Amino acid sequence: VVGGEADFLRGLQVAQLALKHRQNKNQKQRIVAFIGSPISAPEKELETLGKNLKKNNVSLDLVSFGEIGDNTEKLQKLLAAV
């Protein structure tokens, strides 16, 4: 049985940190996230993270499946901030 929780906010922050310290800095920075579980992070923190990604010139692609109804509003606010 698969279970547990995924910390979406922390995952994006770690991905951004990995992009910041990458070796090949000639390519564009892009994060692709697959979301299949409910997001527990507040909308305000997601918007702040989106603004931070935009400031650091990081592109964000989201693929949502599973809990589409619960996550739609939060993910739209996150993408609007990027």
Side-chain angles (χ1 to χ4, degrees):
V1 175
V2 177
E5 290 185 21
D7 191 354
F8 178 68
L9 193 64
R10 186 164 304 177
L12 284 181
Q13 290 172 338
V14 168
Q16 182 181 7
L17 186 64
L19 283 173
K20 192 173 188 180
H21 295 288
R22 69 192 191 282
Q23 288 181 345
N24 185 5
K25 297 200 177 204
N26 293 329
Q27 299 172 341
K28 288 191 172 190
Q29 300 179 61
R30 178 176 295 269
I31 297 173
V32 179
F34 294 87
I35 303 114
S37 58
I39 298 174
S40 59
E43 292 179 10
K44 185 77 171 168
E45 289 184 24
L46 290 172
E47 286 183 49
T48 304
L49 178 65
K51 289 177 184 176
N52 195 9
L53 289 171
K54 183 176 184 177
K55 184 181 104 179
N56 292 326
N57 200 21
V58 177
S59 300
L60 180 63
D61 293 327
L62 297 174
V63 179
S64 179
F65 56 92
E67 301 290 334
I68 296 172
D70 297 338
N71 294 337
T72 303
E73 189 174 325
K74 289 182 179 182
L75 294 176
Q76 286 177 344
K77 288 195 176 187
L78 172 63
L79 282 177
V82 174

